[in-house]
Amino acid sequence: MSFAPELRTHAQKVCTLYKKCMRTIEGYYIARFVVRYHQVQLRKQFDDNKCVSDPKEQRRLLRVGEREHWLKNNPRPLAKFPRSIGIAGGVAYARVVTPPDWVLDYWHPLEKAQYPEYFARRECRKNEYIDKWKKGTLM
């Protein structure tokens, strides 16, 4: 656990808030034109406060924006990205399972005969691996 201060600029925090709000809007509405309408309104809210130069006012506006996002946050967020991990994980996360190497040992000899060079090289490498294991030099 790190106790270092957060090293993000105000602009980065605002951009993160903007992106989170955009994703929240996408999660609430189905119709694309409704989503776009609310996104344009959100952009206008951010653009209205773009020219604020007072740091205290900037921090206050950021806190207000984060509070508003927290209040309007979707309880069941949209799993937008297919391979995303987490509570709202994507539909394709860990879908393709790569079989382990030992599965090839159980192939039928007629199946292995279709790839003779590969299985000959594999047997040589497997024997080398077993020899190294027996010697104890495998690391």
Side-chain angles (χ1 to χ4, degrees):
M1 185 173 201
S2 175
F3 293 103
E6 188 174 351
L7 300 175
R8 293 178 50 213
T9 64
H10 176 76
Q12 289 173 331
K13 293 176 187 178
V14 171
C15 287
T16 302
L17 176 64
Y18 178 72
K19 195 170 184 179
K20 285 194 289 189
C21 291
M22 285 291 211
R23 297 289 178 218
T24 302
I25 289 171
E26 287 176 1
Y28 267 115
Y29 303 104
I30 296 172
R32 185 70 191 143
F33 68 92
V34 177
V35 170
R36 189 66 190 140
Y37 172 75
H38 287 286
Q39 286 177 338
V40 169
Q41 282 186 331
L42 178 69
R43 181 61 191 218
K44 184 177 181 330
Q45 285 179 339
F46 274 81
D47 284 342
D48 289 343
N49 297 314
K50 180 171 56 174
C51 297
V52 175
S53 59
D54 182 29
K56 287 184 180 181
E57 182 65 16
Q58 286 177 344
R59 285 193 299 271
R60 188 191 69 76
L61 287 171
L62 182 64
R63 281 196 310 269
V64 167
E66 287 173 344
R67 172 93 174 134
E68 186 177 345
H69 175 260
W70 184 79
L71 289 173
K72 294 182 178 180
N73 201 4
N74 196 342
R76 296 199 50 171
L78 179 69
K80 180 68 178 168
F81 305 104
R83 297 188 191 284
S84 63
I85 304 171
I87 296 171
V91 295
Y93 174 67
R95 179 179 284 179
V96 178
V97 178
T98 306
D101 187 57
W102 58 262
V103 172
L104 295 174
D105 293 334
Y106 292 100
W107 277 26
H108 192 271
L110 292 176
E111 292 175 319
K112 290 182 181 181
Q114 295 176 359
Y115 308 99
E117 293 109 15
Y118 173 78
F119 280 99
R121 189 177 330 123
R122 185 174 181 276
E123 281 299 318
C124 290
R125 289 183 179 164
K126 200 162 77 168
N127 290 335
E128 289 174 6
Y129 185 83
I130 291 170
D131 291 341
K132 286 183 179 180
W133 177 264
K134 287 179 181 176
K135 290 180 186 176
T137 59
L138 185 65
M139 282 290 172

